[in-house]
Amino acid sequence: HVQLVESGGGSVQVGESLIISCAASGHRYSTFCMAWFRQAPGKEREGVASTYIGVGGSTSIGDSVKGRFTVSQGDGKATLFLEMKSLKLEDTAKYYCAASDWGGTWCQSGPVRSEDYPYWGQGTQVTVS
C-alpha cells in the first residue's frame, strides 16, 4: 500500500524561497517515478516536475517553473524535495506529491501528466503574498 506524505508548505513573501518534501512508502519495486503537481483555486491541476527514483535518473521540470524550481531526492530513501526559489504570487497553490508503481524514462522528460500517477498525497498549501 503506497503512501505519500507531504510536508513543508507555508506562507512566504514574493521573491522568497521554500522547500517542500514528500516521503513515499510501500512501493513494491525499488525504482519508480514521483512527481509534483499544484492546483490553484479555480484552475486545473498543473504538473510541476517529475523524476525517476533510482540511480542515475533525471528530472523533467515544467515550463512555468523552469529556472526557479528544482527537484532532488533524499539519500537512501524515497523522499522527494521541491525547492522553490524566487516565488511569485502565481505560485500560490496546493502542491501535491504523486507516485507511480514503476519507473522509467517516461518520467524523466516531457510533460508531467496526472494520469501517469495512481498514488497521491493529501497536498500541502503554499501561499505567496
Side-chain angles (χ1 to χ4, degrees), residues 106-123:
W106 59 271
C107 64
Q108 301 180 53
S109 63
V112 184
R113 306 185 314 167
S114 58
E115 55 264 38
D116 291 330
Y117 298 90
Y119 306 110
W120 292 78
Q122 295 300 307

Side-chain angles (χ1 to χ4, degrees), residues 5 11 14 24 28 47 76 85 89 102 112 123 126:
V5 179
S11 297
V14 171
R28 174 181 297 183
K85 297 181 178 179
L89 294 174
W102 55 278
V112 184
V126 173

